Amino acid sequence: MHVLSLVNQKGGCGKTTAAVNFAGALAARGRRVLLVDLDPQAHATMALGWAVQDEPVLLEVLRGKSGVDEAAVAVPGGMWLLPASDDLAEFEEESGRLLNPESALRRALQTMSLEFDEVILDCPPRVDGVLAANALRASDTAVLVVETGAFALQGAVKALKILNKMREELEQPFEMRMLATLFDRRTRFARELLLAMHGRFGADMFDTVIRTSVRLREAAGLGVPVQLLDPASRAVDDFAALATEWLGRESCAPTAAPLDIPEGVHLHSTSNSWAP
Ligand SMILES: Nc1ncnc2c1ncn2[C@@H]1O[C@H](COP(=O)(O)OP(=O)(O)OP(=O)(O)O)[C@@H](O)[C@H]1O
Ligand SMILES: [Mg+2]
């Protein structure tokens, strides 16, 4: 099981879009994927069409009141989601009273190492809170998502400084990678910025760049990964290329055909009577 988090303290740079659709691309390759929504805004949860009711969600897992297997649900695209609700923000306040609150997710995920191949963590737009700390402690790889827009390079350098400092304090530090998103190759500014990013970050950057695509916005609105909305779209091509690059990093060949999981089923439940 490999745990990868998508981070940046900058809001709206494409973290959630990358998390959901990269998860979709990996699931389409037959990887067993769990997407964890670590953002109280719950955008990844919404982007996969999940409406939280009374069932346990990530907050209960972090509190140690529920297992990942009880809270994870099957969502469109043949993957699993550990959903968030807006009361996830309460964990920031509660954490002062807990022992090792930054390690709660890592502990919870350790029990699932035989269940999943890839765990993708969608982080909130900050790197200093206890939720981001949980993500980074649980991660083997942290991917800094960088929008190819104004001030992106400055923001990325700043974020990297903070992340590198956090890494130094960890016993098992995560690997750092960079992913360029929201790329519009028609603009000279974006093309030049991409070159500058490659010059600055070198081999740490994914070769794959996620281009702007209206399909990604539409898919989020419909509550599905883009692979289900428009398999022929360039967004699907981009995330497939990212999956190829990611899976080629080591010997982790796709295991099987995509899993055919009925949606709305809890990971270890025997019935699918509960549905959103
Ligand atoms: N490649 C893309 N092409 C077109 N639209 C995109 C792309 N990536 C993201 N968007 C859109 O940009 C907006 C912000 O994206 P997203 O929610 O993924 O960012 P975020 O970094 O997760 O934001 P936050 O920091 O608030 O969590 C959304 O409306 C999303 O649909
Ligand atoms: Mg987000």
Side-chain angles (χ1 to χ4, degrees):
M1 186 177 85
H2 199 102
V3 184
L4 173 148
S5 52
L6 293 148
V7 292
N8 199 334
Q9 82 275 30
K10 184 177 185 300
C13 61
K15 297 179 288 295
T16 301
T17 304
V20 167
N21 297 291
F22 183 40
L26 290 169
R29 297 287 174 88
R31 305 294 286 171
R32 297 169 304 165
V33 182
L34 173 69
L35 175 62
V36 181
D37 189 350
L38 272 148
D39 187 351
Q41 297 180 100
H43 287 168
T45 301
M46 291 179 215
L48 285 166
W50 191 257
V52 173
Q53 295 181 350
D54 300 326
E55 76 281 11
V57 288
L58 176 63
L59 179 59
E60 282 70 39
V61 173
L62 295 178
R63 282 173 171 161
K65 300 236 164 83
S66 170
V68 175
D69 55 345
E70 293 164 275
V73 289
V75 286
M79 56 179 142
W80 300 92
L81 169 73
L82 190 46
S85 51
D86 51 13
D87 53 8
L88 181 57
E90 291 170 17
F91 194 67
E92 296 281 352
E93 283 167 40
E94 284 174 27
S95 60
R97 301 191 292 274
L98 301 174
L99 194 66
N100 263 337
E102 301 90 1
S103 301
L105 183 63
R106 185 184 173 87
R107 281 195 299 270
L109 287 176
Q110 270 165 356
T111 64
M112 305 306 291
S113 60
L114 298 178
E115 308 277 342
F116 297 109
D117 302 310
E118 313 280 350
V119 180
I120 311 281
L121 312 179
D122 182 31
C123 293
R126 54 186 289 194
V127 285
D128 57 343
V130 74
L131 293 169
N134 262 279
L136 293 170
R137 266 169 206 249
S139 294
D140 302 299
T141 306
V143 176
L144 183 65
V145 179
V146 185
E147 175 187 353
T148 47
F151 313 120
L153 203 52
Q154 296 90 325
V157 169
K158 205 166 146 194
L160 266 184
K161 258 192 204 151
I162 303 173
L163 290 167
N164 277 329
K165 203 156 169 247
M166 291 170 98
R167 276 180 80 196
E168 284 161 15
E169 287 160 14
L170 294 179
E171 242 170 71
Q172 291 162 292
F174 48 85
E175 221 180 285
M176 275 300 312
R177 301 293 304 269
M178 257 69 67
L179 174 67
T181 58
L182 280 152
F183 178 64
D184 182 352
R185 74 169 145 207
R186 290 167 307 178
T187 70
R188 194 169 149 194
F189 175 76
R191 293 196 304 271
E192 287 178 355
L193 183 64
L194 194 59
L195 280 177
M197 283 169 68
H198 274 285
R200 180 74 174 72
F201 304 127
D204 291 341
M205 273 196 75
F206 282 103
D207 291 335
T208 306
V209 174
I210 307 301
R211 292 169 287 181
T212 50
S213 160
V214 72
R215 285 283 185 263
L216 288 168
R217 290 175 195 265
E218 289 169 354
L222 291 168
V224 294
V226 72
Q227 290 82 11
L228 292 191
L229 175 71
D230 186 356
S233 62
R234 67 176 180 202
V236 169
D237 290 348
D238 288 350
F239 283 104
L242 185 61
T244 300
E245 208 182 329
W246 179 245
L247 295 174
R249 76 194 185 276
E250 54 186 59
S251 56
C252 57
T255 40
L259 294 182
D260 187 15
I261 319 164
E263 284 151 30
V265 177
H266 281 75
L267 191 52
H268 284 175
S269 75
T270 48
S271 82
N272 63 352
S273 55
W274 195 91

